[in-house]
Amino acid sequence: MSLTQDKKLTDIKVGDLMISSEKVAHVQVNNPLEHALLVLVKSGYSAVPVLDASYKLVGVVGKTIILNQILGLERFEIEKLSDMRVHEVMNTEIPCLSGEDSFMKGLNAIINHPFVCVADKEGYFDGILTRRAILKQLKRDIYTTDL
Ligand code: 2BA
């Protein structure tokens, strides 16, 4: 049975809905852009979390930001993919949730982002909350609430 099957929305925590870290594709802050692009293309995701060597969350990197960085005046400067590192292009201005945050806080965070990272008090990466997880839970709640 699902962890949230019998729970009211107000009782559901972000940690109940998140995809846990071991199932999340990620890249390391010092990886060359070439490796990051490979992970993004192979996984099929538009963007993934960036972690440091101790598995703390430091940002998010996506295909668009990488392609923009290597775009020259007339061509993609492919050689930049091996010269540049993830930390030079990643977005560090990202929202972050705690596993103990409420469903409503998660819903609010996900309005402007396809996914939001979840980390503990020390900043260690716990997983991600996706729009899909929030929408699935909302749908379940609508179907099980007596109208
Ligand atoms: P996107 O990669 O832009 O994906 C948008 C939506 O397309 C996803 O929404 C999902 O419904 C579908 N999708 C894309 N790639 C998929 C795949 N390989 N397998 C199954 N479905 C796929 P959400 O599931 O709400 O995910 C929102 C965003 O969270 C994704 O945006 C991606 O950036 C990130 N994400 C989701 N799961 C991830 C994972 N396991 N590892 C890393 N990032 C993940």
Side-chain angles (χ1 to χ4, degrees):
M1 191 196 290
S2 153
L3 202 62
T4 57
Q5 193 103 39
D6 296 322
K7 285 190 183 175
K8 287 189 283 181
L9 280 189
T10 45
D11 295 333
I12 293 171
K13 304 278 181 212
V14 164
D16 297 330
L17 298 178
M18 75 177 181
I19 301 177
S20 60
S21 56
E22 64 274 13
K23 294 184 189 148
V24 177
H26 72 273
V27 297
Q28 299 269 322
V29 73
N30 280 322
N31 285 155
L33 291 190
E34 189 171 27
H35 177 78
L37 196 55
L38 204 75
V39 169
L40 288 161
V41 170
K42 282 277 178 198
S43 67
Y45 297 120
S46 320
V48 295
V50 181
L51 308 183
D52 71 11
S54 61
Y55 288 85
K56 283 189 177 177
L57 174 70
V58 286
V60 165
V61 73
K63 285 173 192 155
T64 309
I65 207 166
I66 293 178
L67 292 177
N68 256 323
Q69 277 293 328
I70 66 162
L71 184 59
L73 281 179
E74 289 183 351
R75 65 176 187 96
F76 284 108
E77 294 164 355
I78 302 292
E79 59 282 4
K80 282 189 178 168
L81 284 177
S82 46
D83 294 344
M84 294 180 75
R85 310 254 150 191
V86 168
H87 65 82
E88 295 176 72
V89 308
M90 69 186 182
N91 180 13
T92 53
E93 303 289 306
I94 52 162
C96 184
L97 291 164
S98 145
E100 286 305 304
D101 284 336
S102 66
F103 177 87
M104 283 311 291
K105 192 163 176 192
L107 172 60
N108 206 38
I110 221 76
I111 288 173
N112 289 319
H113 306 271
F115 72 96
V116 175
C117 294
V118 184
D120 70 10
K121 285 194 195 83
E122 280 89 45
Y124 290 103
F125 181 62
D126 280 336
I128 59 171
L129 180 69
T130 62
R131 278 197 184 143
R132 175 182 157 84
I134 289 280
L135 286 172
K136 267 178 75 179
Q137 195 59 43
L138 270 179
K139 181 183 160 195
R140 177 176 288 165
D141 191 71
I142 290 165
Y143 276 110
T144 52
T145 304
D146 291 332
L147 298 173

